[in-house]
Amino acid sequence: MNTIAISRRRFAQLLGAGAAAAVARPALSFATPKTFEVAAASKVVRLSANENPYGPSPKALQAITDSFGLACRYPDEHNNVLIEKLAKLNDSNRDQILLGDGSGEILKLCAETFTGKERGKLVAADPTFEAILEQASVNGAEVVKVPLTTTFAHDLPKMLDVAKEGLIYICNPNNPTASITPKNELREFIAKTPHQTTILVDEAYFHYADSPDYESVIPLVKDHPNLIVARTFSKIYGMAGLRCGYCVAQKETIKRMRPHQMWDSVNIMALAAASASLDDVDQVTNGRRLNSEVKAFVTSELNGMDYKSIPSHANFIMFDCKRPVVPFIQALKQRNVQVGRLFPALPNYMRVTIGKRAEMGAFLSAFQEVSA
């Protein structure tokens, strides 16, 4: 059977390039319209794919440059260096680390390894990141969607009730809602799940979560052979275009996944950049700070317009537009502002990546206009 790889970047392409209209027009009917610092009117403001607008670490950029001369070589050495660093970082053995072409490849490997007509269904939240749902469907698996709770957490008891073998996918913090599932609930859920049911926890946005009610579940891998935790360099490390991710799981679980992966799926420049990123102590700290500052500004402005956001633990927000979101998405696109796609489970909610302050000013100015 042919399989189809679906990347995180694919969905951003659905919105296409914006029209040539300016973003900074005056609001039509606000009594006291605000003026924001905005990005250049001729530039498309891309807030649709949860990318890090500040880009990779300077050390990562230098490592890419230094690796140009090695482009003729297979990436074995760099592969090993990164695995060693990740094993040390996550208090794991090197045979518990599997690298991937972004965490998107890890999700695809999990769908191919643990779901299908002979292996079981995929159980996931609704809404959540859709790539693995499509991959499981292509693999012939039944896909069961379980609505999020009223607090936008994963409904873990219901997910466990419907799972029979197969795979349970938990994105935490969740995309598109930027919400978290509390650590105590998740820890209890992992302990209760039968070993024949595999759990994949996607921690793509782990670095942005600062709630005391949140924690990584990587330390639980040592006690749970059915637990896999996916991470990526696309978000806080600003490497979405370079494609590098990994997972942590027990050795035997990694062995089951590896035959589904092609050799050397991560290129030498991405490996060098990822390794250098881990050596830059400022990358995560500065990324968190900048994201937090601009996110607070945006949510405050939206609150002032009476648009309430779901509490965000990621580098994006989701807020209630109070009417169908598709016309908003289309109107913003005409003003050179790209935002997230429609998520049918929440048809009135808009997902917006947190960009730089001027980009968010462009968004707010355009949104003020189209919501008038």
Side-chain angles (χ1 to χ4, degrees):
M1 177 184 295
N2 291 329
T3 57
I4 300 173
I6 302 169
S7 72
R8 294 175 188 266
R9 295 178 63 85
R10 168 186 165 187
F11 300 109
Q13 296 169 356
L14 299 177
L15 295 180
V23 295
R25 299 176 183 173
L28 299 180
S29 62
F30 282 81
T32 54
K34 296 193 69 168
T35 300
F36 300 99
E37 175 192 1
V38 300
S42 61
K43 178 183 177 182
V44 173
V45 178
R46 179 172 166 145
L47 307 174
S48 56
N50 300 344
E51 297 152 328
N52 180 346
Y54 305 103
S57 157
K59 291 186 177 181
L61 296 175
Q62 184 61 52
I64 293 170
T65 302
D66 293 343
S67 70
F68 286 171
L70 299 174
C72 59
R73 305 297 181 189
Y74 289 110
D76 297 359
E77 285 185 37
H78 286 74
N79 191 81
N80 290 333
V81 168
L82 181 57
I83 287 175
E84 290 289 352
K85 286 187 177 182
L86 291 171
K88 183 176 180 180
L89 177 67
N90 293 290
D91 193 23
S92 304
N93 296 324
R94 59 169 290 116
D95 57 13
Q96 293 179 291
I97 306 291
L98 182 65
L99 300 180
D101 181 31
S103 59
E105 185 181 21
I106 299 299
L107 271 57
K108 181 177 183 292
L109 292 174
C110 288
E112 292 182 346
T113 306
F114 303 106
T115 75
K117 292 180 181 178
E118 304 299 325
R119 290 179 288 276
K121 66 184 72 171
L122 172 72
V123 179
D126 191 20
T128 195
F129 183 58
E130 307 103 321
I132 192 170
L133 281 69
E134 296 191 30
Q135 290 154 356
S137 295
V138 168
N139 205 40
E142 177 187 359
V143 175
V144 179
K145 299 179 182 180
V146 177
L148 296 172
T149 68
T150 55
T151 60
F152 300 98
H154 286 73
D155 193 332
L156 298 176
K158 286 187 179 179
M159 296 178 85
L160 188 55
D161 282 346
V162 299
K164 304 294 180 185
E165 298 183 339
L167 178 68
I168 300 175
Y169 172 66
I170 298 168
C171 187
N172 194 36
N174 188 45
N175 179 8
T177 54
S179 51
I180 60 171
T181 297
K183 61 185 181 183
N184 292 338
E185 294 179 17
L186 190 52
R187 193 184 300 119
E188 181 181 357
F189 164 80
I190 292 170
K192 285 183 176 180
T193 301
H195 283 184
Q196 65 266 29
T197 302
T198 303
I199 304 165
L200 170 59
V201 180
D202 184 349
E203 294 186 349
Y205 303 97
F206 156 79
H207 296 95
Y208 293 106
D210 59 0
S211 168
D213 214 14
Y214 177 86
E215 67 182 9
S216 171
V217 295
I218 286 179
L220 303 183
V221 166
K222 65 181 184 296
D223 297 320
H224 298 280
N226 59 334
L227 177 61
I228 304 165
V229 184
R231 290 277 185 87
T232 184
F233 285 87
S234 294
K235 305 306 176 182
I236 198 76
Y237 293 109
M239 288 176 45
L242 284 166
R243 313 307 303 134
C244 186
Y246 68 98
C247 73
V248 183
Q250 288 196 12
K251 178 181 178 180
E252 294 304 313
T253 303
I254 297 292
K255 281 185 177 180
R256 291 180 64 187
M257 296 169 63
R258 196 180 298 279
H260 296 276
Q261 184 178 38
M262 69 178 187
W263 289 100
D264 296 330
S265 64
V266 186
N267 69 76
I268 198 166
M269 294 179 188
L271 291 167
S275 183
S277 294
L278 296 177
D279 294 334
D280 188 344
V281 295
D282 295 326
Q283 178 70 13
V284 171
T285 302
N286 289 340
R288 283 174 174 163
R289 176 181 56 80
L290 291 167
N291 179 74
S292 179
E293 290 172 356
V294 180
K295 182 165 62 176
F297 157 67
V298 176
T299 55
S300 176
E301 294 296 335
L302 288 172
N303 284 338
M305 300 180 201
D306 200 28
Y307 291 101
K308 305 302 180 186
S309 302
I310 299 170
S312 170
H313 303 271
N315 66 334
F316 59 93
I317 59 171
M318 197 176 209
F319 69 95
D320 187 357
C321 294
K322 298 186 286 190
R323 55 187 190 266
V325 72
V326 171
F328 283 111
I329 295 172
Q330 295 170 341
L332 289 170
K333 181 180 177 182
Q334 291 172 358
R335 291 157 176 80
N336 280 5
V337 179
Q338 297 180 354
V339 295
R341 58 198 177 273
L342 167 69
F343 294 88
L346 296 172
N348 291 353
Y349 279 75
M350 180 184 293
R351 191 193 70 182
V352 183
T353 304
I354 301 300
K356 295 180 180 179
R357 186 168 179 119
E359 293 174 321
M360 302 318 295
F363 160 73
L364 289 166
S365 179
F367 184 75
Q368 238 184 186
E369 180 179 342
V370 303
S371 64

